Amino acid sequence: MYLAAEAGAQIGGDLYEAVSTRYGVRMIVGDVRGKGLPAVRSAAAVLGAFREAVHYESDLVEVMNHCSAALQRDCAVPTAFSQEEEADIGEDFVTALAAQVVHGSVIQVVNCGHPPPLVLRQGKIEALHPASPRPPLGLEDLMNGPTAGPDSYAFTPGDRLLLYTDGVVEARNMDNEFFPLHEAMEAAPACTPPEFLEWLHQVLIRHTRGQLTDDVAVLVIDLFRDGTESKAAENAITSGPRPSR
């Protein structure tokens, strides 16, 4: 579902995808630095690499390495953008998070400078913070030493996993208060993933009074009581600003 923000906002670069593979359900959310066409181009490069690599790379870290390499290649290609846009391309990076549901009992996560995913379990929220933080895609030169493998977390029947971009938690109300995502999830009614996404969108709109100033991407996956992942992982809600004129 795509929902436009208020008039006058600029195009952003949020990205998301969910793919069923032989390794399990694999998902990504990300947020490109900057606005406009360079951000859209960078998002497309990362998504394209992810959609290909998830099917033949068994290691989720290697999947993200492919995404980073694609971003770096894209940034090195000459474009017809303006000088201001070209400067943005030269400094591109993407905060991104890849997650994988393994055997219906474990979540593996590779977090590259992105807000941590949330798990709703028995009415309480747990933030899945990385054990070894990684820099955003495109800034790997900031790393010291070898990279660790994916972080693993329990994912039990009845759990709900939420991946999101910072446009959600940084949305402000008229009193300049951030949107309380943790509290909102704990207060959500019992519902299906698509119903939850629609409910979350309405709560977010009420909080901001419709004044979304940044892209919002949210992806949710439930683990059914029989241990299977919900196909609603592919139902995502995006609130993307329409281009300025």
Side-chain angles (χ1 to χ4, degrees):
M1 180 164 54
Y2 178 87
L3 299 166
E6 292 298 310
Q10 295 178 321
I11 297 174
D14 281 11
L15 59 95
Y16 67 92
E17 183 61 284
V19 182
S20 180
T21 76
R22 56 180 170 168
Y23 306 110
V25 176
R26 288 177 155 183
M27 299 155 281
I28 188 172
V29 291
D31 190 355
V32 181
R33 173 202 173 274
K35 302 288 185 181
L37 293 178
V40 174
R41 172 172 161 166
S42 295
V46 171
L47 273 180
F50 176 82
R51 288 166 176 157
E52 179 180 4
V54 290
H55 291 290
Y56 64 81
E57 287 290 356
S58 60
D59 188 340
L60 202 58
V61 173
E62 286 302 315
V63 171
M64 295 304 273
N65 288 342
H66 280 280
C67 293
S68 179
L71 177 65
Q72 293 174 14
R73 288 194 302 270
D74 185 73
C75 292
V77 174
T79 71
F81 295 132
S82 67
Q83 288 185 344
E84 181 179 353
E85 289 173 330
E86 288 283 3
D88 285 341
I89 293 175
E91 300 175 1
D92 266 352
F93 64 85
V94 179
T95 69
L97 182 147
Q100 172 178 300
V101 180
V102 183
H103 307 308
S105 60
V106 174
I107 301 170
Q108 289 186 344
V109 176
V110 176
N111 192 332
C112 300
H114 200 75
L118 304 178
V119 169
L120 179 65
R121 176 177 298 132
Q122 297 180 349
K124 298 296 181 181
I125 289 294
E126 178 186 359
L128 306 184
H129 294 285
S132 301
R134 301 167 185 268
L137 302 179
L139 298 181
E140 285 78 10
D141 290 344
L142 300 178
M143 293 184 64
N144 294 318
T147 60
D151 294 307
S152 296
Y153 310 89
F155 194 44
T156 59
D159 287 356
R160 171 165 287 171
L161 173 68
L162 191 78
L163 312 183
Y164 58 96
T165 56
D166 60 8
V168 180
V169 292
E170 294 181 359
R172 299 173 184 261
N173 61 13
M174 300 300 291
D175 296 323
N176 210 33
E177 298 170 331
F178 291 118
F179 179 68
L181 179 58
H182 289 212
E183 291 83 351
M185 282 193 69
E186 291 180 345
C191 55
T192 66
E195 291 169 344
F196 170 79
L197 288 171
E198 180 58 28
W199 177 88
L200 182 62
H201 174 255
Q202 294 303 322
V203 173
L204 183 62
I205 291 299
R206 287 197 297 270
H207 178 80
T208 61
R209 294 191 178 182
Q211 302 294 319
L212 287 176
T213 58
D214 195 4
D215 285 359
V216 168
V218 178
L219 191 150
V220 64
I221 182 169
D222 282 0
L223 187 63
F224 292 147
R225 293 296 176 182
D226 63 1
T228 60
E229 299 88 10
S230 168
K231 292 183 180 179
E234 298 179 10
N235 287 305
I237 179 172
T238 61
S239 297
R242 56 171 78 94
S244 59
R245 298 184 182 274

